[in-house]
Amino acid sequence: MESEDKREEQTSVRLRTLLADLDYQCCQGDLDVEITSVVNDSRKAGQGSLFLCIHGAVSDGHDYAAQVAEKGACALVTERPVQVPDHVTVIQVKDSRYAMACISACWFGHPARRLKTIGITGTKGKTTATYMIKSILENAGYRVGLIGTIETIIGDRRIPASHTTPESIEVQQSFREMVDFGCDCVVMEVSSQGLMLHRTAGFEFDYGIFTNIEPDHIGPNEHTSFEHYLSCKAMLLRQCRTGIVNRDDVHFEQMIQGHTCELETYGFSQEADLRAVEPQLIKKRGQLGIAYQLQGLMDFPVEIDIPGTFSIYNSLTAIAVCRHFQVSQDNIVRALRCAKVKGRVEMVPVSDSFTLMIDYAHNAMALKSLLLTLKEYHPHRLVCLFGCGGNRSRSRRFEMGEVSGELADLTIITSDNPRDEDPQSIIDDIKTGIGRTDGEYVEIIERKEAIAYAIHHGQPGDIVILAGKGHEDYQEIQGKKYPMDERELIREILEEDRKRGAF
Protein backbone atom coordinates (compact mmCIF):
# COMPACT_ATOMS: atom_id res chain seq x y z
CA MET A 1 0.00 0.00 0.00
CA GLU A 2 1.22 3.52 -0.77
CA SER A 3 2.65 5.35 2.23
CA GLU A 4 0.59 7.91 4.12
CA ASP A 5 3.21 10.63 3.62
CA LYS A 6 3.07 10.17 -0.16
CA ARG A 7 -0.73 10.21 -0.11
CA GLU A 8 -0.75 13.74 1.35
CA GLU A 9 0.97 15.09 -1.77
CA GLN A 10 -0.97 13.11 -4.37
CA THR A 11 -3.88 14.23 -6.50
CA SER A 12 -4.75 10.71 -7.65
CA VAL A 13 -4.57 7.12 -6.40
CA ARG A 14 -4.81 3.84 -8.30
CA LEU A 15 -8.15 2.08 -7.84
CA ARG A 16 -6.34 -1.13 -6.88
CA THR A 17 -4.77 0.67 -3.90
CA LEU A 18 -8.13 1.96 -2.67
CA LEU A 19 -9.58 -1.56 -2.75
CA ALA A 20 -6.74 -3.18 -0.80
CA ASP A 21 -8.79 -3.82 2.37
CA LEU A 22 -11.89 -5.16 0.60
CA ASP A 23 -13.26 -8.38 -0.85
CA TYR A 24 -14.61 -7.50 -4.27
CA GLN A 25 -15.28 -8.66 -7.82
CA CYS A 26 -14.12 -6.63 -10.79
CA CYS A 27 -17.03 -6.95 -13.23
CA GLN A 28 -15.41 -4.87 -15.99
CA GLY A 29 -12.61 -2.38 -16.60
CA ASP A 30 -9.10 -1.71 -15.31
CA LEU A 31 -8.04 -1.92 -11.65
CA ASP A 32 -5.07 0.37 -12.31
CA VAL A 33 -7.18 3.34 -13.40
CA GLU A 34 -6.19 6.57 -11.63
CA ILE A 35 -8.85 7.97 -9.27
CA THR A 36 -8.94 11.75 -8.77
CA SER A 37 -11.92 11.95 -6.38
CA VAL A 38 -14.09 9.66 -4.27
CA VAL A 39 -17.78 10.63 -4.10
CA ASN A 40 -21.16 9.20 -3.16
CA ASP A 41 -23.17 12.19 -4.42
CA SER A 42 -23.84 12.08 -8.16
CA ARG A 43 -23.78 15.90 -8.30
CA LYS A 44 -20.11 15.86 -7.25
CA ALA A 45 -19.01 13.25 -9.80
CA GLY A 46 -16.58 14.38 -12.49
CA GLN A 47 -13.64 13.36 -14.62
CA GLY A 48 -11.69 10.58 -12.88
CA SER A 49 -14.20 10.08 -10.04
CA LEU A 50 -14.81 6.87 -8.18
CA PHE A 51 -18.56 6.84 -7.54
CA LEU A 52 -19.93 4.76 -4.67
CA CYS A 53 -23.46 3.52 -5.32
CA ILE A 54 -25.17 3.77 -1.94
CA HIS A 55 -28.75 2.66 -1.35
CA GLY A 56 -30.14 5.45 0.85
CA ALA A 57 -33.44 6.20 2.53
CA VAL A 58 -34.50 8.62 -0.21
CA SER A 59 -32.64 7.50 -3.34
CA ASP A 60 -30.45 4.69 -4.66
CA GLY A 61 -27.03 5.55 -6.06
CA HIS A 62 -27.26 2.63 -8.49
CA ASP A 63 -29.94 4.57 -10.38
CA TYR A 64 -27.35 7.27 -11.19
CA ALA A 65 -24.70 4.94 -12.60
CA ALA A 66 -25.16 5.94 -16.25
CA GLN A 67 -25.40 9.62 -15.35
CA VAL A 68 -22.09 9.72 -13.43
CA ALA A 69 -20.39 7.73 -16.19
CA GLU A 70 -21.45 10.46 -18.65
CA LYS A 71 -19.96 13.08 -16.32
CA GLY A 72 -16.58 11.33 -16.47
CA ALA A 73 -16.59 8.91 -13.53
CA CYS A 74 -14.07 6.22 -14.39
CA ALA A 75 -15.04 3.64 -11.75
CA LEU A 76 -18.10 2.61 -9.74
CA VAL A 77 -18.52 0.53 -6.61
CA THR A 78 -21.85 -1.29 -6.62
CA GLU A 79 -23.80 -4.00 -4.85
CA ARG A 80 -25.53 -5.20 -8.02
CA PRO A 81 -24.97 -5.07 -11.80
CA VAL A 82 -25.30 -1.67 -13.50
CA GLN A 83 -25.30 -0.65 -17.17
CA VAL A 84 -22.37 1.66 -18.00
CA PRO A 85 -19.91 1.89 -20.96
CA ASP A 86 -17.20 -0.78 -21.13
CA HIS A 87 -14.39 1.69 -20.37
CA VAL A 88 -15.88 2.38 -16.89
CA THR A 89 -14.55 0.02 -14.23
CA VAL A 90 -17.28 -1.64 -12.15
CA ILE A 91 -16.43 -3.14 -8.76
CA GLN A 92 -19.11 -5.21 -7.05
CA VAL A 93 -19.04 -5.67 -3.27
CA LYS A 94 -21.36 -7.17 -0.69
CA ASP A 95 -21.94 -3.88 1.15
CA SER A 96 -21.15 -0.59 -0.57
CA ARG A 97 -21.40 1.38 2.69
CA TYR A 98 -18.70 -0.75 4.26
CA ALA A 99 -16.66 -0.39 1.08
CA MET A 100 -17.11 3.38 1.19
CA ALA A 101 -15.67 3.48 4.73
CA CYS A 102 -12.58 1.45 3.81
CA ILE A 103 -12.02 3.33 0.55
CA SER A 104 -12.45 6.71 2.28
CA ALA A 105 -9.92 5.78 4.96
CA CYS A 106 -7.37 4.91 2.26
CA TRP A 107 -8.19 7.92 0.08
CA PHE A 108 -7.46 10.32 2.96
CA GLY A 109 -4.27 8.49 3.93
CA HIS A 110 -5.56 6.51 6.92
CA PRO A 111 -5.58 9.56 9.22
CA ALA A 112 -6.98 7.58 12.20
CA ARG A 113 -3.61 5.84 12.44
CA ARG A 114 -2.10 9.19 13.41
CA LEU A 115 -4.73 10.07 16.00
CA LYS A 116 -5.83 8.60 19.29
CA THR A 117 -9.48 7.86 18.50
CA ILE A 118 -12.21 7.86 21.14
CA GLY A 119 -15.75 6.75 20.23
CA ILE A 120 -18.74 7.09 22.55
CA THR A 121 -22.07 5.32 22.09
CA GLY A 122 -25.15 4.96 24.28
CA THR A 123 -28.70 6.26 24.57
CA LYS A 124 -27.82 9.18 26.84
CA GLY A 125 -24.70 11.08 27.82
CA LYS A 126 -22.73 10.94 24.55
CA THR A 127 -22.65 14.67 23.90
CA THR A 128 -21.78 15.76 27.44
CA ALA A 129 -19.12 13.07 27.81
CA THR A 130 -17.41 14.09 24.55
CA TYR A 131 -17.12 17.70 25.68
CA MET A 132 -15.89 16.66 29.13
CA ILE A 133 -13.18 14.49 27.56
CA LYS A 134 -12.20 17.31 25.22
CA SER A 135 -12.02 19.74 28.13
CA ILE A 136 -9.82 17.47 30.26
CA LEU A 137 -7.42 16.53 27.45
CA GLU A 138 -7.04 20.13 26.27
CA ASN A 139 -6.44 21.21 29.84
CA ALA A 140 -3.57 18.72 29.87
CA GLY A 141 -2.07 20.14 26.66
CA TYR A 142 -3.51 17.84 23.97
CA ARG A 143 -4.98 19.17 20.73
CA VAL A 144 -8.40 17.54 20.41
CA GLY A 145 -10.81 17.29 17.51
CA LEU A 146 -14.52 16.55 18.10
CA ILE A 147 -17.32 15.08 15.99
CA GLY A 148 -20.80 15.03 17.50
CA THR A 149 -24.48 15.84 17.53
CA ILE A 150 -23.96 19.58 17.85
CA GLU A 151 -20.90 20.22 15.70
CA THR A 152 -17.54 19.11 14.40
CA ILE A 153 -14.64 21.04 15.94
CA ILE A 154 -11.25 21.30 14.23
CA GLY A 155 -9.09 23.92 15.92
CA ASP A 156 -11.10 27.16 15.90
CA ARG A 157 -13.45 25.87 13.19
CA ARG A 158 -16.92 24.78 14.28
CA ILE A 159 -19.01 23.06 11.61
CA PRO A 160 -22.70 22.53 12.53
CA ALA A 161 -23.71 18.86 12.43
CA SER A 162 -26.44 17.33 10.28
CA HIS A 163 -26.02 13.83 11.76
CA THR A 164 -24.70 12.61 15.11
CA THR A 165 -22.23 10.45 13.16
CA PRO A 166 -21.54 11.74 9.61
CA GLU A 167 -21.09 9.51 6.57
CA SER A 168 -17.74 7.73 6.47
CA ILE A 169 -16.32 10.03 3.76
CA GLU A 170 -16.99 13.04 6.00
CA VAL A 171 -15.58 11.26 9.05
CA GLN A 172 -12.33 10.44 7.26
CA GLN A 173 -12.08 13.90 5.74
CA SER A 174 -12.50 15.44 9.20
CA PHE A 175 -9.83 13.11 10.58
CA ARG A 176 -7.51 14.19 7.75
CA GLU A 177 -8.11 17.87 8.52
CA MET A 178 -7.50 17.22 12.22
CA VAL A 179 -4.18 15.56 11.46
CA ASP A 180 -3.21 18.45 9.17
CA PHE A 181 -4.13 20.92 11.91
CA GLY A 182 -1.92 19.07 14.38
CA CYS A 183 -4.49 17.29 16.53
CA ASP A 184 -3.26 14.46 18.74
CA CYS A 185 -6.65 12.85 19.25
CA VAL A 186 -10.32 12.96 18.34
CA VAL A 187 -13.39 12.24 20.43
CA MET A 188 -16.63 11.48 18.61
CA GLU A 189 -20.21 10.45 19.23
CA VAL A 190 -21.04 7.14 17.59
CA SER A 191 -24.75 6.60 16.97
CA SER A 192 -26.43 3.23 16.52
CA GLN A 193 -27.28 4.29 12.97
CA GLY A 194 -23.65 5.20 12.39
CA LEU A 195 -22.54 1.75 13.49
CA MET A 196 -25.29 -0.05 11.58
CA LEU A 197 -24.44 1.86 8.39
CA HIS A 198 -20.66 1.36 8.79
CA ARG A 199 -19.94 5.08 9.08
CA THR A 200 -17.12 4.28 11.51
CA ALA A 201 -15.73 1.26 9.66
CA GLY A 202 -12.30 1.35 8.03
CA PHE A 203 -10.39 1.93 11.27
CA GLU A 204 -10.28 0.73 14.86
CA PHE A 205 -11.02 3.04 17.78
CA ASP A 206 -8.36 3.18 20.46
CA TYR A 207 -11.10 3.60 23.07
CA GLY A 208 -14.79 2.70 22.73
CA ILE A 209 -17.22 3.81 25.43
CA PHE A 210 -20.72 2.40 26.01
CA THR A 211 -22.58 4.78 28.37
CA ASN A 212 -26.00 3.13 28.76
CA ILE A 213 -28.89 1.67 26.79
CA GLU A 214 -32.63 2.36 26.96
CA PRO A 215 -35.44 1.71 24.47
CA ASP A 216 -35.14 4.51 21.91
CA HIS A 217 -34.99 4.99 18.14
CA ILE A 218 -37.31 2.01 17.67
CA GLY A 219 -39.37 2.37 14.53
CA PRO A 220 -39.68 1.54 10.84
CA ASN A 221 -36.97 4.01 9.79
CA GLU A 222 -34.44 3.16 12.50
CA HIS A 223 -34.34 -0.09 14.52
CA THR A 224 -36.91 -2.87 14.32
CA SER A 225 -36.59 -3.79 18.01
CA PHE A 226 -34.71 -2.99 21.19
CA GLU A 227 -32.58 -6.08 20.60
CA HIS A 228 -31.54 -4.76 17.20
CA TYR A 229 -30.82 -1.32 18.67
CA LEU A 230 -28.63 -2.88 21.38
CA SER A 231 -26.81 -5.15 18.94
CA CYS A 232 -25.90 -2.14 16.77
CA LYS A 233 -24.60 -0.21 19.77
CA ALA A 234 -22.58 -3.23 20.91
CA MET A 235 -20.73 -3.27 17.58
CA LEU A 236 -18.46 -0.55 18.99
CA LEU A 237 -16.96 -3.04 21.46
CA ARG A 238 -15.83 -5.11 18.47
CA GLN A 239 -14.31 -2.06 16.75
CA CYS A 240 -12.04 -0.79 19.53
CA ARG A 241 -8.89 -1.82 21.39
CA THR A 242 -10.07 -0.81 24.88
CA GLY A 243 -13.77 -0.80 25.80
CA ILE A 244 -15.07 1.27 28.73
CA VAL A 245 -18.59 0.35 29.86
CA ASN A 246 -21.12 1.49 32.47
CA ARG A 247 -21.21 -1.39 34.98
CA ASP A 248 -24.49 -0.21 36.51
CA ASP A 249 -26.60 -0.55 33.39
CA VAL A 250 -29.18 -3.33 33.72
CA HIS A 251 -28.25 -4.51 30.22
CA PHE A 252 -24.52 -4.66 31.01
CA GLU A 253 -24.12 -8.37 30.21
CA GLN A 254 -25.88 -7.92 26.85
CA MET A 255 -23.85 -4.80 26.11
CA ILE A 256 -20.53 -6.62 26.41
CA GLN A 257 -21.62 -9.85 24.73
CA GLY A 258 -19.23 -10.71 21.92
CA HIS A 259 -16.76 -7.92 22.74
CA THR A 260 -13.25 -8.33 21.35
CA CYS A 261 -11.57 -5.52 23.27
CA GLU A 262 -9.91 -5.20 26.65
CA LEU A 263 -12.70 -4.22 29.02
CA GLU A 264 -12.89 -1.64 31.81
CA THR A 265 -15.96 -0.54 33.79
CA TYR A 266 -17.21 2.46 35.74
CA GLY A 267 -20.23 3.26 37.90
CA PHE A 268 -21.43 3.10 41.51
CA SER A 269 -21.17 -0.70 41.64
CA GLN A 270 -18.49 -2.22 43.85
CA GLU A 271 -17.63 -4.37 40.83
CA ALA A 272 -16.74 -1.29 38.75
CA ASP A 273 -13.06 -0.57 38.11
CA LEU A 274 -13.66 3.17 38.55
CA ARG A 275 -16.48 4.06 40.92
CA ALA A 276 -18.22 7.00 42.57
CA VAL A 277 -19.09 6.95 46.27
CA GLU A 278 -20.68 9.44 48.67
CA PRO A 279 -22.47 11.57 46.07
CA GLN A 280 -23.69 14.96 47.29
CA LEU A 281 -25.99 17.49 45.63
CA ILE A 282 -24.61 21.04 45.53
CA LYS A 283 -26.94 24.02 45.48
CA LYS A 284 -25.51 27.54 45.31
CA ARG A 285 -26.97 30.91 44.40
CA GLY A 286 -28.50 30.33 40.99
CA GLN A 287 -26.27 27.29 40.43
CA LEU A 288 -26.63 23.52 40.81
CA GLY A 289 -23.96 20.84 40.83
CA ILE A 290 -22.84 17.54 42.30
CA ALA A 291 -19.80 16.13 44.11
CA TYR A 292 -18.50 12.65 44.91
CA GLN A 293 -15.43 10.68 45.92
CA LEU A 294 -13.70 8.73 43.16
CA GLN A 295 -12.35 5.29 44.07
CA GLY A 296 -10.79 2.29 42.35
CA LEU A 297 -8.30 2.90 39.55
CA MET A 298 -8.03 6.53 40.74
CA ASP A 299 -8.82 8.09 44.12
CA PHE A 300 -9.71 11.77 44.64
CA PRO A 301 -12.74 14.07 45.22
CA VAL A 302 -14.66 15.41 42.21
CA GLU A 303 -17.01 18.37 41.95
CA ILE A 304 -18.98 19.34 38.83
CA ASP A 305 -21.07 22.44 38.15
CA ILE A 306 -23.65 20.37 36.28
CA PRO A 307 -26.57 18.87 38.23
CA GLY A 308 -27.72 15.29 38.58
CA THR A 309 -26.59 11.71 38.90
CA PHE A 310 -26.16 11.49 35.13
CA SER A 311 -23.40 14.11 35.51
CA ILE A 312 -21.53 11.66 37.72
CA TYR A 313 -21.76 9.00 35.03
CA ASN A 314 -20.62 11.46 32.34
CA SER A 315 -17.65 12.55 34.42
CA LEU A 316 -16.72 8.94 35.23
CA THR A 317 -16.75 8.25 31.49
CA ALA A 318 -14.39 11.16 30.88
CA ILE A 319 -12.06 10.22 33.74
CA ALA A 320 -11.94 6.57 32.62
CA VAL A 321 -10.77 7.67 29.16
CA CYS A 322 -8.38 10.42 30.22
CA ARG A 323 -6.67 8.12 32.70
CA HIS A 324 -5.13 6.40 29.67
CA PHE A 325 -3.63 9.72 28.56
CA GLN A 326 -1.66 10.10 31.81
CA VAL A 327 -3.64 13.23 32.73
CA SER A 328 -2.91 14.41 36.25
CA GLN A 329 -5.51 14.52 39.01
CA ASP A 330 -5.26 18.32 39.16
CA ASN A 331 -5.92 18.66 35.44
CA ILE A 332 -8.94 16.36 35.64
CA VAL A 333 -10.45 18.18 38.63
CA ARG A 334 -9.85 21.62 37.12
CA ALA A 335 -11.21 20.69 33.69
CA LEU A 336 -14.37 19.05 35.04
CA ARG A 337 -15.21 22.21 36.97
CA CYS A 338 -15.22 24.29 33.80
CA ALA A 339 -16.64 21.73 31.34
CA LYS A 340 -19.86 23.04 29.83
CA VAL A 341 -21.98 21.75 26.97
CA LYS A 342 -24.22 24.05 25.00
CA GLY A 343 -27.84 23.08 25.50
CA ARG A 344 -27.23 20.24 27.97
CA VAL A 345 -28.42 21.35 31.44
CA GLU A 346 -26.77 24.65 30.55
CA MET A 347 -27.28 27.13 33.37
CA VAL A 348 -27.82 30.74 32.33
CA PRO A 349 -27.34 33.29 35.13
CA VAL A 350 -30.32 35.65 35.34
CA SER A 351 -30.92 35.84 39.10
CA ASP A 352 -29.31 34.87 42.41
CA SER A 353 -32.69 33.80 43.77
CA PHE A 354 -33.65 31.14 41.19
CA THR A 355 -31.92 28.89 38.65
CA LEU A 356 -32.58 29.05 34.90
CA MET A 357 -31.24 26.41 32.53
CA ILE A 358 -31.52 25.30 28.90
CA ASP A 359 -31.69 21.63 27.89
CA TYR A 360 -32.24 19.66 24.70
CA ALA A 361 -34.80 17.26 26.25
CA HIS A 362 -37.27 16.91 23.38
CA ASN A 363 -39.02 13.61 24.06
CA ALA A 364 -40.89 12.20 27.04
CA MET A 365 -38.07 9.91 28.21
CA ALA A 366 -35.47 12.68 28.25
CA LEU A 367 -37.86 15.20 29.82
CA LYS A 368 -38.86 12.77 32.58
CA SER A 369 -35.22 11.99 33.38
CA LEU A 370 -34.37 15.69 33.51
CA LEU A 371 -37.33 16.71 35.69
CA LEU A 372 -36.79 13.84 38.12
CA THR A 373 -33.14 14.86 38.44
CA LEU A 374 -34.03 18.48 39.16
CA LYS A 375 -36.68 17.51 41.72
CA GLU A 376 -33.89 15.93 43.78
CA TYR A 377 -32.70 19.50 44.51
CA HIS A 378 -36.06 20.23 46.23
CA PRO A 379 -36.84 23.47 44.41
CA HIS A 380 -39.50 25.85 45.68
CA ARG A 381 -41.14 25.25 42.30
CA LEU A 382 -40.05 23.31 39.25
CA VAL A 383 -41.10 25.29 36.17
CA CYS A 384 -40.90 23.60 32.76
CA LEU A 385 -41.18 25.56 29.51
CA PHE A 386 -41.38 23.56 26.29
CA GLY A 387 -43.09 23.01 22.96
CA CYS A 388 -43.09 20.16 20.45
CA GLY A 389 -41.99 19.90 16.84
CA GLY A 390 -44.40 19.90 13.96
CA ASN A 391 -44.58 17.09 11.36
CA ARG A 392 -43.83 14.60 14.13
CA SER A 393 -45.88 12.02 16.01
CA ARG A 394 -48.76 13.53 17.99
CA SER A 395 -48.25 10.88 20.66
CA ARG A 396 -44.94 12.55 21.58
CA ARG A 397 -46.87 15.72 22.42
CA PHE A 398 -49.36 13.88 24.62
CA GLU A 399 -46.53 12.06 26.39
CA MET A 400 -44.44 15.18 27.02
CA GLY A 401 -47.49 17.06 28.25
CA GLU A 402 -48.30 14.25 30.66
CA VAL A 403 -44.72 14.04 31.97
CA SER A 404 -44.52 17.79 32.59
CA GLY A 405 -47.99 17.86 34.12
CA GLU A 406 -47.02 15.14 36.58
CA LEU A 407 -43.56 16.37 37.54
CA ALA A 408 -43.47 20.17 37.11
CA ASP A 409 -45.24 22.59 39.43
CA LEU A 410 -45.92 24.85 36.46
CA THR A 411 -45.72 24.13 32.74
CA ILE A 412 -45.33 26.96 30.24
CA ILE A 413 -46.43 25.63 26.85
CA THR A 414 -44.98 27.44 23.86
CA SER A 415 -43.82 26.93 20.28
CA ASP A 416 -40.78 24.86 19.25
CA ASN A 417 -40.23 24.05 15.56
CA PRO A 418 -43.81 24.08 14.20
CA ARG A 419 -42.56 23.31 10.68
CA ASP A 420 -45.65 22.96 8.46
CA GLU A 421 -48.17 22.72 11.30
CA ASP A 422 -50.21 25.34 13.10
CA PRO A 423 -48.39 26.10 16.41
CA GLN A 424 -51.70 26.35 18.25
CA SER A 425 -52.69 22.83 17.15
CA ILE A 426 -49.43 21.49 18.57
CA ILE A 427 -50.04 23.34 21.83
CA ASP A 428 -53.55 21.89 21.99
CA ASP A 429 -52.09 18.37 21.72
CA ILE A 430 -49.69 19.11 24.58
CA LYS A 431 -52.62 20.37 26.65
CA THR A 432 -54.39 17.06 26.01
CA GLY A 433 -51.46 15.30 27.70
CA ILE A 434 -51.37 17.73 30.60
CA GLY A 435 -55.11 17.25 30.94
CA ARG A 436 -54.45 13.68 32.08
CA THR A 437 -52.79 15.16 35.19
CA ASP A 438 -53.55 17.80 37.79
CA GLY A 439 -50.64 19.95 36.61
CA GLU A 440 -50.95 23.71 36.27
CA TYR A 441 -50.03 25.38 33.01
CA VAL A 442 -50.08 28.57 31.00
CA GLU A 443 -49.82 28.76 27.20
CA ILE A 444 -47.84 31.50 25.45
CA ILE A 445 -47.34 30.81 21.78
CA GLU A 446 -44.37 33.16 21.15
CA ARG A 447 -41.25 31.59 22.65
CA LYS A 448 -39.55 34.87 23.59
CA GLU A 449 -42.71 36.03 25.35
CA ALA A 450 -42.93 32.66 27.13
CA ILE A 451 -39.31 32.89 28.31
CA ALA A 452 -39.90 36.46 29.53
CA TYR A 453 -42.90 35.20 31.51
CA ALA A 454 -40.74 32.47 33.08
CA ILE A 455 -38.06 34.99 34.09
CA HIS A 456 -40.43 37.67 35.36
CA HIS A 457 -42.44 35.18 37.43
CA GLY A 458 -39.44 33.31 38.85
CA GLN A 459 -39.70 32.92 42.63
CA PRO A 460 -36.89 32.44 45.17
CA GLY A 461 -35.74 28.82 45.11
CA ASP A 462 -37.33 28.00 41.74
CA ILE A 463 -35.65 25.90 39.07
CA VAL A 464 -36.78 26.98 35.61
CA ILE A 465 -35.98 24.71 32.68
CA LEU A 466 -36.29 25.75 29.03
CA ALA A 467 -36.58 22.37 27.33
CA GLY A 468 -36.49 21.18 23.74
CA LYS A 469 -34.26 23.60 21.83
CA GLY A 470 -30.96 23.05 23.62
CA HIS A 471 -28.07 23.87 21.27
CA GLU A 472 -30.35 24.76 18.35
CA ASP A 473 -30.15 28.39 17.26
CA TYR A 474 -33.11 28.46 14.88
CA GLN A 475 -36.85 27.95 14.63
CA GLU A 476 -38.23 26.06 11.65
CA ILE A 477 -41.48 27.46 10.26
CA GLN A 478 -43.08 26.50 6.94
CA GLY A 479 -39.89 25.03 5.49
CA LYS A 480 -37.64 27.92 6.56
CA LYS A 481 -35.19 28.21 9.42
CA TYR A 482 -35.27 31.53 11.25
CA PRO A 483 -32.53 32.59 13.71
CA MET A 484 -33.62 31.97 17.31
CA ASP A 485 -31.11 31.27 20.06
CA GLU A 486 -32.60 31.11 23.55
CA ARG A 487 -29.44 32.65 25.01
CA GLU A 488 -29.92 35.66 22.75
CA LEU A 489 -33.60 35.85 23.68
CA ILE A 490 -32.67 35.85 27.38
CA ARG A 491 -30.10 38.63 26.83
CA GLU A 492 -32.66 40.68 24.92
CA ILE A 493 -35.25 40.23 27.67
CA LEU A 494 -32.80 41.27 30.41
CA GLU A 495 -31.62 44.27 28.38
CA GLU A 496 -35.20 45.36 27.74
CA ASP A 497 -35.91 45.01 31.47
CA ARG A 498 -32.84 47.09 32.29
CA LYS A 499 -33.87 49.86 29.91
CA ARG A 500 -37.33 49.93 31.45
CA GLY A 501 -35.82 49.95 34.92
CA ALA A 502 -37.76 46.80 35.71
CA PHE A 503 -34.90 45.29 37.73
Side-chain angles (χ1 to χ4, degrees), residues 284-299:
K284 302 174 184 176
R285 294 172 62 172
Q287 294 284 318
L288 306 175
I290 200 156
Y292 63 92
Q293 179 66 35
L294 183 68
Q295 290 185 356
L297 294 172
M298 302 186 84
D299 193 335

Side-chain angles (χ1 to χ4, degrees), residues 4 7-8 101-117 168-180 183-186 202-204 206:
E4 295 166 20
R7 171 65 192 94
E8 290 180 36
C102 295
I103 289 169
S104 298
C106 185
W107 173 253
F108 288 105
H110 295 285
R113 296 176 184 174
R114 298 168 64 179
L115 295 163
K116 285 293 184 183
T117 51
S168 55
I169 288 182
E170 298 171 64
V171 169
Q172 294 296 333
Q173 181 175 358
S174 294
F175 284 179
R176 177 76 259 162
E177 292 174 5
M178 290 172 189
V179 168
D180 293 343
C183 288
D184 312 291
C185 42
V186 55
F203 70 100
E204 185 178 40
D206 291 289

Side-chain angles (χ1 to χ4, degrees), residues 120-121 124 129 209-212 244-249 252 255 264-269 271-276 294 312-318 320:
I120 304 179
T121 199
K124 296 185 296 187
I209 296 91
F210 202 147
T211 61
N212 50 63
I244 300 171
V245 185
N246 179 357
R247 187 64 183 79
D248 297 344
D249 196 281
F252 173 75
M255 289 159 66
E264 296 179 6
T265 60
Y266 66 90
F268 288 91
S269 169
E271 298 177 12
D273 299 316
L274 199 65
R275 53 191 176 274
L294 183 68
I312 294 180
Y313 281 113
N314 290 335
S315 63
L316 285 172
T317 300

Side-chain angles (χ1 to χ4, degrees), residues 211-263:
T211 61
N212 50 63
I213 187 83
E214 294 181 15
D216 196 14
H217 302 289
I218 313 300
N221 297 322
E222 293 187 88
H223 299 286
T224 54
S225 66
F226 175 70
E227 289 72 25
H228 183 251
Y229 176 51
L230 193 155
S231 68
C232 289
K233 291 282 191 190
M235 288 171 65
L236 181 61
L237 300 182
R238 298 190 293 278
Q239 296 180 17
C240 67
R241 296 181 179 90
T242 300
I244 300 171
V245 185
N246 179 357
R247 187 64 183 79
D248 297 344
D249 196 281
V250 295
H251 300 286
F252 173 75
E253 295 297 338
Q254 293 169 272
M255 289 159 66
I256 65 171
Q257 190 172 0
H259 75 274
T260 57
C261 55
E262 292 185 15
L263 206 62

Side-chain angles (χ1 to χ4, degrees), residues 299-340:
D299 193 335
F300 54 86
V302 177
E303 184 174 328
I304 318 160
D305 291 335
I306 305 175
T309 302
F310 55 79
S311 296
I312 294 180
Y313 281 113
N314 290 335
S315 63
L316 285 172
T317 300
I319 295 168
V321 171
C322 294
R323 186 182 72 83
H324 289 273
F325 289 77
Q326 311 305 315
V327 179
S328 72
Q329 172 184 322
D330 288 344
N331 272 329
I332 290 174
V333 170
R334 184 166 56 249
L336 285 176
R337 287 299 303 272
C338 64
K340 300 288 186 293

